[in-house]
């Protein structure tokens, strides 16, 4: 990654990691080193991303994702309640069993962006709260494992919380960044 070269998939992974560093700094440092990028490089990628997002000449969210990540690996039509949308999936090399999913309503409005399990990839077996380790599962996986889970507002645009009750009967809250589990608490 260079600060003057095109912003691409490696840079985008660094943006995902930057927000996760608030909850899991050790995992982020390990992942950043695996990608061969310095802390300054990660900060620079995040700075460039924020500049793209906030630019007065900014493209729409979907155009930005396509310019950074290329054409999606997979596109499918979904119906969620009364909403019909397209789900676009891109690979994320740092997490080979996950995909970055962008949900697009008719007219091109992006209404959700997060990490999901790749089609055909087996997710973790989640039976107890102890099975929930950082970065092991997605929002959907926790919600399916512990119904009825209740979505809660997150502390930032890329964060979400989920109230759930595992078989031990103790209510808990899981915290996610970009759809990937970061931690949970009682």
């Amino acid at each position: 990654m260079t600060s003057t070269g095109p912003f691409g998939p490696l840079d985008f992974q660094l943006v995902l990691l930057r927000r996760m560093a608030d909850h899991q700094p050790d995992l982020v440092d390990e992942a950043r080193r695996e990608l061969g990028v310095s802390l300054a490089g990660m900060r620079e990628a995040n700075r460039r991303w924020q500049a793209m997002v906030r630019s007065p000449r900014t493209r729409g969210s979907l155009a930005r994702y396509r310019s950074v990540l290329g054409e999606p690996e997979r596109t499918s039509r979904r119906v969620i309640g009364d909403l019909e949308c397209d789900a676009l999936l891109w690979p994320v090399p740092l997490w080979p069993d996950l995909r970055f999913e962008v949900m697009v309503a008719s007219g091109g409005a992006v209404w959700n962006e997060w990490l999901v399990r790749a089609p055909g990839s087996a997710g973790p077996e989640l039976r107890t709260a102890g099975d929930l380790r950082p970065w092991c599962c997605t929002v959907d996986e926790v919600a399916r494992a512990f119904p009825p889970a209740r979505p809660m507002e997150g502390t930032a645009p890329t964060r979400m919380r989920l109230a759930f009750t595992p078989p031990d009967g103790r209510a808990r809250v899981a915290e996610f960044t970009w759809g990937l589990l970061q931690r949970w608490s009682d």
Side-chain angles (χ1 to χ4, degrees), residues 61-134:
S61 296
L62 182 57
R64 185 172 44 254
Y65 286 122
R66 285 182 183 272
S67 74
V68 168
L69 301 173
E71 285 303 307
E73 173 183 82
R74 181 177 180 160
T75 301
S76 61
R77 192 84 174 143
R78 291 214 194 126
V79 177
I80 302 170
D82 293 340
L83 178 66
E84 282 191 47
C85 60
D86 291 318
L88 289 72
L89 298 175
W90 284 272
V92 185
L94 187 57
W95 296 287
D97 290 344
L98 299 178
R99 296 296 180 265
F100 188 73
E101 177 184 73
V102 174
M103 302 292 282
V104 183
S106 58
V110 171
W111 63 271
N112 196 34
E113 329 149 80
W114 61 3
L115 294 164
V116 297
R117 187 71 47 196
S121 293
E125 200 168 309
L126 305 175
R127 291 181 300 240
T128 70
D131 295 330
L132 300 176
R133 294 176 326 282

Side-chain angles (χ1 to χ4, degrees), residues 11-170:
D11 302 283
F12 184 69
Q13 290 177 102
L14 295 170
V15 169
L16 298 178
L17 288 172
R18 175 62 191 96
R19 181 58 75 182
M20 292 178 192
D22 296 338
H23 294 304
Q24 295 296 331
D26 293 340
L27 287 175
V28 168
D29 282 345
E30 183 180 320
R32 183 181 48 73
R33 283 191 295 275
E34 182 180 321
L35 293 172
V37 177
S38 68
L39 181 58
M42 184 173 77
R43 287 184 182 135
E44 176 62 12
N46 191 64
R47 185 198 64 74
R48 291 176 66 203
W49 176 258
Q50 294 302 321
M52 281 192 291
V53 169
R54 290 178 170 79
S55 169
R57 297 180 311 268
T58 191
R59 323 167 214 208
S61 296
L62 182 57
R64 185 172 44 254
Y65 286 122
R66 285 182 183 272
S67 74
V68 168
L69 301 173
E71 285 303 307
E73 173 183 82
R74 181 177 180 160
T75 301
S76 61
R77 192 84 174 143
R78 291 214 194 126
V79 177
I80 302 170
D82 293 340
L83 178 66
E84 282 191 47
C85 60
D86 291 318
L88 289 72
L89 298 175
W90 284 272
V92 185
L94 187 57
W95 296 287
D97 290 344
L98 299 178
R99 296 296 180 265
F100 188 73
E101 177 184 73
V102 174
M103 302 292 282
V104 183
S106 58
V110 171
W111 63 271
N112 196 34
E113 329 149 80
W114 61 3
L115 294 164
V116 297
R117 187 71 47 196
S121 293
E125 200 168 309
L126 305 175
R127 291 181 300 240
T128 70
D131 295 330
L132 300 176
R133 294 176 326 282
W135 295 13
C136 83
C137 55
T138 65
V139 172
D140 286 344
E141 291 167 335
V142 174
R144 280 193 307 271
F146 306 109
R150 183 176 50 87
M152 302 168 65
E153 189 172 334
T155 58
T158 60
R159 292 187 181 153
M160 147 173 223
R161 296 181 311 147
L162 192 68
F164 70 100
T165 304
D168 68 9
R170 293 177 52 201

